[in-house]
Amino acid sequence: MELQSLRLVNYRNYTDLTLNFSDGVNVFLGENAQGKTNLLESIYVLALARSHRTSSDKDLIRWQEKEATISGRVKKNISDTPLSLHFSNKGKKARVNHLEQSKLSQYIGQLNVILFAPEDLELVKGAPSVRRRFIDMEFGQMNPLYLYNTTQYRRILKERNAYLKRLQMKQTTDTIFLDVLTEQLVDIGSQVLLARQTFLERLEVAAQPIHAEISNKRETLTLKYQTSIDFEKGTDLSTIKAVFEQTLKKQQTREIMQGSTLVGPHRDDIQFIVNDNDVAVFGSQGQQRTTALAIKLAEIDLMQQETGEYPILLLDDVLSELDANRQTHLLLAIQDKVQTFITAPTLSDVARQLIHAPKVFHVQQGEIVLEEQVE
């Protein structure tokens, strides 16, 4: 998969910008607050129809403008597809091949990206919500059904919580409608649980050899799926549904008292274990970074296995956060394999030595100057 070109109109600090890219490594160099990360963000938004930096689409529109557009051309093995997103105060419109998509779930997956930024170290040591979002964003790109199910789950969960709040406040005493919502939550939620378990098993298999190589065979990484629904690996969907339903029944009195759904995929977490220790609690900063790097690199191969195409890799100021050993493993892993976009103030000596013929763009106050390729 390759992003051949990108056009931004009234996006962040760009009035009207068109760029053509190399199918290898593309580098955006510049000081902070010049617009490097805005460029990487726009590629992420083009892929996922949402930003990783803000929950408000209005933030993406240039100051004092009313609308913005991101468009690009994506090359796959057998197709060449134009994509575009238009943002305004009326919402956003997504187009594939110039045809407007009625649902974003039909749009997402046309361009697959993996983002690795300094804050992704929080994947290991951050809050459970960070890891849930990681699962949903990455697996959602690979599997449209999973993306649909998670959207439906959040909708039903919101409705169920609202009704539990009504029961808590004694605005109603009828639990029949609660039973209906519970049945819907169990049906969709069980599919989400099974899909997450499967995804994490595959991710573990892909990440283990990468982690072992980066740690010079001194460490072994395992992933443990932590969920409030107690089921074992290999459990089938019908069993998960039965366990989920039984768990909710046991919690119903407490849920009404608290006005909130207490169990389900929205409470899930992932535990990263290195040499039998929880790396978030007992691991050094180096071990935490090795784990995060191994997971991100494993995603590349896993996405290729699931979709038949390698994703695009976005590295936002991450090289400066890695030592020479981890930089080397990262750059060798992506060389001649995936189209990559890197932002950095400057390229390290390691990067200059390992990246073959990068296309380098210098960014200053929203202006782009192309550097001659370095052989």
Side-chain angles (χ1 to χ4, degrees), residues 3-282:
L3 180 63
Q4 296 178 305
S5 62
L6 177 73
R7 186 182 180 196
L8 306 178
V9 178
N10 293 329
Y11 182 88
R12 294 285 194 180
N13 66 325
Y14 294 98
T15 304
D16 193 342
L17 174 70
T18 300
L19 296 174
N20 296 306
F21 300 123
S22 161
D23 60 1
V25 178
N26 299 271
V27 182
F28 301 116
L29 296 181
E31 299 301 323
N32 291 335
Q34 301 300 305
K36 305 189 308 294
T37 295
N38 290 345
L39 288 171
L40 238 63
E41 177 196 41
S42 71
I43 298 173
Y44 185 93
V45 174
L46 184 64
L48 292 166
R50 60 180 290 184
S51 171
H52 63 289
R53 299 163 69 199
T54 177
S55 59
S56 173
D57 290 340
K58 292 180 181 178
D59 295 339
L60 307 179
I61 302 174
R62 184 176 171 84
W63 176 248
Q64 293 186 330
E65 297 292 341
K66 296 181 179 180
E67 53 189 16
T69 301
I70 311 172
S71 56
R73 184 169 289 275
V74 178
K75 181 181 179 183
K76 298 184 182 180
N77 286 333
I78 57 173
S79 64
D80 186 354
T81 308
L83 304 177
S84 71
L85 286 168
H86 183 78
F87 301 91
S88 70
N89 57 8
K90 296 179 181 178
K92 57 191 165 193
K93 294 180 180 180
R95 290 183 171 86
V96 179
N97 263 332
H98 309 293
L99 298 175
E100 186 172 339
Q101 305 299 297
S102 58
K103 297 179 180 178
L104 286 178
S105 59
Q106 297 172 334
Y107 175 86
I108 295 172
Q110 301 293 328
L111 171 63
N112 293 330
V113 299
I114 291 173
L115 171 70
F116 192 21
E119 58 265 27
D120 284 311
L121 296 175
E122 293 298 310
L123 176 63
V124 175
K125 61 183 181 179
S129 59
V130 174
R131 289 179 284 279
R132 286 193 295 271
R133 185 177 186 274
F134 158 74
I135 297 174
D136 289 347
M137 297 303 290
E138 307 308 336
F139 196 32
Q141 292 185 76
M142 304 181 211
N143 190 313
L145 178 58
Y146 177 81
L147 182 64
Y148 173 80
N149 284 340
T150 52
T151 302
Q152 290 296 101
Y153 180 83
R154 285 190 289 267
R155 179 187 62 78
I156 298 166
L157 177 66
K158 183 178 180 180
E159 193 172 355
R160 189 174 188 270
N161 283 341
Y163 197 74
L164 284 168
K165 185 67 69 175
R166 290 188 64 199
L167 288 165
Q168 179 197 42
M169 302 297 291
K170 301 191 185 307
Q171 295 172 351
T172 182
T173 58
D174 181 11
T175 60
I176 295 177
F177 185 54
L178 178 62
D179 292 339
V180 172
L181 292 172
T182 298
E183 183 179 349
Q184 293 175 355
L185 195 78
V186 167
D187 183 53
I188 295 294
S190 297
Q191 296 179 62
V192 172
L193 288 165
L194 182 58
R196 284 180 177 177
Q197 177 68 64
T198 302
F199 172 69
L200 290 173
E201 288 175 6
R202 293 174 181 169
L203 185 63
E204 180 185 70
V205 170
Q208 282 178 336
I210 297 171
H211 188 278
E213 184 179 352
I214 298 174
S215 64
N216 295 316
K217 306 291 191 296
R218 294 193 300 266
E219 296 174 355
T220 301
L221 172 67
T222 56
L223 275 58
K224 184 178 180 181
Y225 183 26
Q226 296 183 311
T227 177
S228 50
I229 312 303
D230 188 15
F231 66 93
E232 301 294 329
K233 285 185 178 181
T235 303
D236 61 24
L237 182 60
S238 61
T239 304
I240 294 174
K241 284 184 178 181
V243 174
F244 194 177
E245 185 176 19
Q246 185 178 27
T247 305
L248 282 171
K249 284 182 178 178
K250 288 181 180 178
Q251 295 289 336
Q252 182 168 303
T253 301
R254 285 186 61 220
E255 288 186 330
I256 292 173
M257 288 177 62
Q258 297 189 28
S260 180
T261 303
L262 300 179
V263 295
H266 61 290
R267 297 292 184 99
D268 283 356
D269 198 0
I270 314 167
Q271 188 178 27
F272 298 103
I273 301 170
V274 173
N275 290 351
D276 299 321
N277 291 316
D278 184 342
V279 71
V281 179
F282 301 105

